[in-house]
Amino acid sequence: MIELSAPISVVWEITNNCNYKCPHCRAYQEYNKENKKIEDSIIKDLIDSKVMFVNLSGGEPLLNPRIFEIAKKLYSNNIYIALSTNGSLYSKYREKIVNSGIKLIQVSLDGKKELHEKFRGIEGSYEKAIEALKMAKEDGLRTQMNVTITSSNINDLKWNYEKAKELHIDKVFYRRVVPYGKAKINKYVLPEKRLYYDKIKELSELDCEDLNVSIDDPILNVLNNKENIEYIACGAGINNLGISSEGDIYPCIFLRERLGNIKTEKLKDIWNNSDILKKLRNRDIEKCGECEYKYSCGGCRAFSGINKKDEFCPL
């Protein structure tokens, strides 16, 4: 298994606050005040660890009043910055976004207007998402449409592909909904497994020169019978980490298995010494760790935890 001295990429939830009401989200609507001291510690650790890529996420990251200060500091230290947003505030902060060093805009879009707005719980959210993608493209930023696959949009996922082509988006990124946060309670958002298998296989065949299609699910390698251990489908704890707005560190932002906190521990120390990360890197996982696909797949740990078999496994 590959061993790195530090994570290549980090997803950092710079706020837990959000202006939407999505039934699957790991963030909540309660107002949490951002902590400058924690943020400064995270910035220092990201720079000292020579992390190459940081995705500023949330909640809605544009609700953090320091976001542009944070982005500029990271960018000035040669870190590539992405922004994951619902699109609602892009037009308001358009100039600041462009001037902050942010290079990639990722906008969540669940599907057609009625579907998207019902899922997000906000009227006008569809137009805001489309507007943000269009503006970001005009501004010369790389653009990505993020699509969480749920029971609501499972039968119409190709629509996102066609819409992304229409808008000349650089990439459409599909990922399985994870039963954490609200999705742990709202189990109805989980798609039916057999239908899910068929859909992600179909989507994986859409990748083309005009539009990069990415399916963020390791079990796709099992479905496509790929055993190549040189390709690691899940990078949780192998090449990436997640950090919460409170400074908690996770193997990935969806796998809420706490490794430590930036207030008392260094990112690099956690990366090099965590028993949980060693377990993930060695694929020391019940059932999944015994599978012939353990390196090319290994299951989605965020979905089933660090010990159990991936509940969506087709085998």
Side-chain angles (χ1 to χ4, degrees):
M1 177 60 68
I2 186 172
E3 291 277 352
L4 299 172
S5 60
I8 293 173
S9 65
V10 166
V11 178
W12 176 11
E13 294 173 336
I14 63 170
T15 182
N16 198 43
N17 301 312
C18 193
N19 51 355
Y20 280 12
K21 304 171 183 177
C22 312
H24 69 304
C25 190
R26 62 188 182 274
Y28 290 82
Q29 273 73 57
E30 292 88 352
Y31 178 77
N32 290 324
K33 189 175 181 180
E34 287 76 20
N35 188 312
K36 185 178 184 298
K37 187 175 180 180
I38 292 176
E39 290 171 350
D40 289 342
S41 294
I42 294 171
I43 292 168
K44 185 178 186 306
D45 259 21
L46 291 172
I47 295 168
D48 290 347
S49 299
K50 293 183 169 53
V51 171
M52 299 171 66
F53 178 99
V54 173
N55 180 7
L56 300 178
S57 179
E60 171 49 53
L62 289 171
L63 291 175
N64 184 322
R66 291 188 73 208
I67 181 170
F68 304 115
E69 178 188 344
I70 291 169
K72 285 178 181 178
K73 183 67 174 178
L74 295 174
Y75 179 67
S76 67
N77 282 274
N78 301 311
I79 297 176
Y80 188 96
I81 309 298
L83 173 70
S84 288
T85 175
N86 57 36
S88 61
L89 299 170
Y90 189 93
S91 60
K92 179 178 180 179
Y93 295 117
R94 184 176 186 177
E95 186 176 349
K96 288 184 177 180
I97 290 170
V98 174
N99 293 331
S100 68
I102 292 169
K103 297 298 180 185
L104 168 63
I105 300 296
Q106 303 178 41
V107 179
S108 299
L109 189 66
D110 302 298
K112 297 174 185 175
K113 177 178 169 63
E114 184 180 356
L115 186 156
H116 179 81
E117 295 193 351
K118 182 178 181 182
F119 198 76
R120 298 283 156 177
I122 300 292
E123 188 176 340
S125 57
Y126 173 85
E127 284 80 9
K128 287 290 186 181
I130 297 294
E131 177 186 58
L133 287 167
K134 285 181 176 178
M135 286 183 172
K137 191 72 181 176
E138 291 170 4
D139 293 335
L141 304 179
R142 284 193 61 78
T143 49
Q144 178 174 308
M145 181 188 294
N146 287 347
V147 188
T148 302
I149 302 175
T150 67
S151 58
S152 298
N153 62 7
I154 186 72
N155 288 305
D156 206 13
L157 294 168
K158 196 174 178 183
W159 178 91
N160 296 82
Y161 168 79
E162 298 293 350
K163 194 66 180 178
K165 287 192 77 173
E166 176 192 322
L167 297 172
H168 304 290
I169 301 305
D170 296 298
K171 182 176 180 178
V172 58
F173 181 83
Y174 294 93
R175 70 163 296 119
R176 189 198 318 178
V177 65
V178 173
Y180 183 80
K182 295 178 185 177
K184 195 171 184 178
I185 301 167
N186 299 323
K187 292 290 182 71
Y188 67 85
V189 301
L190 301 177
E192 191 275 318
K193 283 196 283 190
R194 292 290 167 185
L195 179 58
Y196 177 77
Y197 302 154
D198 292 340
K199 294 299 182 182
I200 62 172
K201 283 196 72 174
E202 288 174 17
L203 293 171
S204 69
E205 296 168 1
L206 297 176
D207 192 36
C208 63
E209 188 175 334
D210 295 335
L211 175 63
N212 177 216
V213 177
S214 177
I215 318 295
D216 185 30
D217 196 321
I219 67 166
L220 184 61
N221 284 334
V222 178
L223 295 171
N224 290 334
N225 196 31
K226 289 186 178 179
E227 302 175 51
N228 182 5
I229 65 170
E230 293 178 1
Y231 175 74
I232 301 169
C234 176
I238 297 171
N239 57 29
N240 68 71
L241 287 177
I243 305 178
S244 77
S245 57
E246 292 82 25
D248 288 327
I249 300 172
Y250 304 106
C252 96
I253 208 63
F254 295 99
L255 174 53
R256 308 301 267 206
E257 188 75 35
R258 188 177 179 276
L259 306 175
N261 189 285
I262 209 82
K263 288 181 285 189
T264 56
E265 297 159 273
K266 293 291 184 184
L267 183 70
K268 209 162 187 176
D269 290 340
I270 291 173
W271 179 261
N272 290 317
N273 301 317
S274 167
D275 289 337
I276 292 173
L277 294 184
K278 290 174 184 176
K279 185 182 183 75
L280 289 171
R281 291 164 191 165
N282 294 329
R283 290 296 195 252
D284 183 17
I285 303 155
E286 183 183 350
K287 298 295 184 183
C288 285
E290 301 168 4
C291 179
E292 62 184 305
Y293 298 99
K294 70 177 183 178
Y295 290 116
S296 62
C297 174
C300 177
R301 297 298 100 220
F303 196 90
S304 300
I306 62 169
N307 296 309
K308 299 177 183 177
K309 172 185 174 181
D310 186 341
E311 295 173 20
F312 258 53
C313 177
L315 298 182

